[in-house]
Amino acid sequence: MDHGPVGKADLELARTPPPRERADAARNRAKVLAAAADLFARQGVESVSMDAVAAAAGVGKGTLFRRFGDKAGLAAALLDERERELQDAILAGPSPLGPGKPGETAEPSARIRAFVDAYLDYVLDHLSLVRMSETASPGARYRIGAYRFWHRHLTILLDAPDGEAVAHTLMAALGAEHLTAMVEAVGVDRTRAAVHTLFALRA
């Protein structure tokens, strides 16, 4: 099933708009995100404090907390650009992940497989950050704007009376907490294979 103009518009509505900010605020945001990315890469997400990020970025702690709330908010901000890249590919990129050129759109099952591959590439490359953003508080994962997009994309591709519920169920297998446990227990390759098997049963 092609998303088509209606489905594409529906997906666009599911996206969280990028922040609108003054030039100085944008510069501070960029400094903070660069400092956080560097510290997280060198020391690990769990080991880095918000105080350390503020010091490395040269901003006050109050500024950091007002802007991002907590470390989970900082993690979500770091992930935002990568998520938008994946969303853009789904909306307008080459087939099978995206719709491709007119007449090239792949079958829904192929698009679902492509989505699973691309999403796993994204989440496994940033597993600690995604896990923090999704588990900061009960239900945090489902309040993240990106989750609404992924869920809506799957619902459209499933094109079934129970598609909305099934999409939630399938998305559960892509939760960072679940994937972390899977990778630790059986490794990356078996985790990817198991997720694909689950999606293939429904797609």
Side-chain angles (χ1 to χ4, degrees), residues 1-2 8 10 18-19 41 43 60 73 104 117 119-120 130 142 172 174 179 193:
M1 178 185 179
D2 187 353
K8 185 174 181 179
D10 197 11
Q43 300 177 24
E104 289 183 353
D117 265 335
Y119 188 86
L120 285 173
V130 179
Y142 307 100
L174 297 176
L179 290 173

Side-chain angles (χ1 to χ4, degrees), residues 152-178:
R152 189 62 192 146
H153 176 54
L154 274 179
T155 301
I156 292 169
L157 290 178
L158 288 167
D159 191 26
D162 59 350
E164 184 177 359
V166 173
H168 277 305
T169 302
L170 292 173
M171 284 298 301
L174 297 176
E177 185 83 345
H178 172 71

Side-chain angles (χ1 to χ4, degrees), residues 72-133:
L74 188 54
L78 277 169
L79 293 168
D80 184 66
E81 184 176 353
R82 180 65 185 87
E83 289 171 343
R84 289 183 185 282
E85 289 173 358
L86 180 51
Q87 291 170 0
D88 286 342
I90 287 169
L91 286 167
S95 180
L97 179 59
K101 297 177 182 178
E104 289 183 353
T105 302
E107 290 295 316
S109 58
R111 294 203 67 189
I112 290 173
R113 285 194 300 273
F115 166 69
V116 173
D117 265 335
Y119 188 86
L120 285 173
D121 287 344
Y122 152 70
V123 73
L124 293 175
D125 282 348
H126 306 87
L127 192 52
S128 295
L129 283 176
V130 179
R131 185 183 185 190
M132 176 169 290
S133 73

Side-chain angles (χ1 to χ4, degrees), residues 26-46:
R27 285 193 296 270
N28 280 339
R29 175 184 174 86
K31 285 197 303 183
V32 167
L33 293 181
D38 177 63
L39 289 171
F40 289 161
R42 289 191 289 109
Q43 300 177 24
V45 176
E46 298 298 334

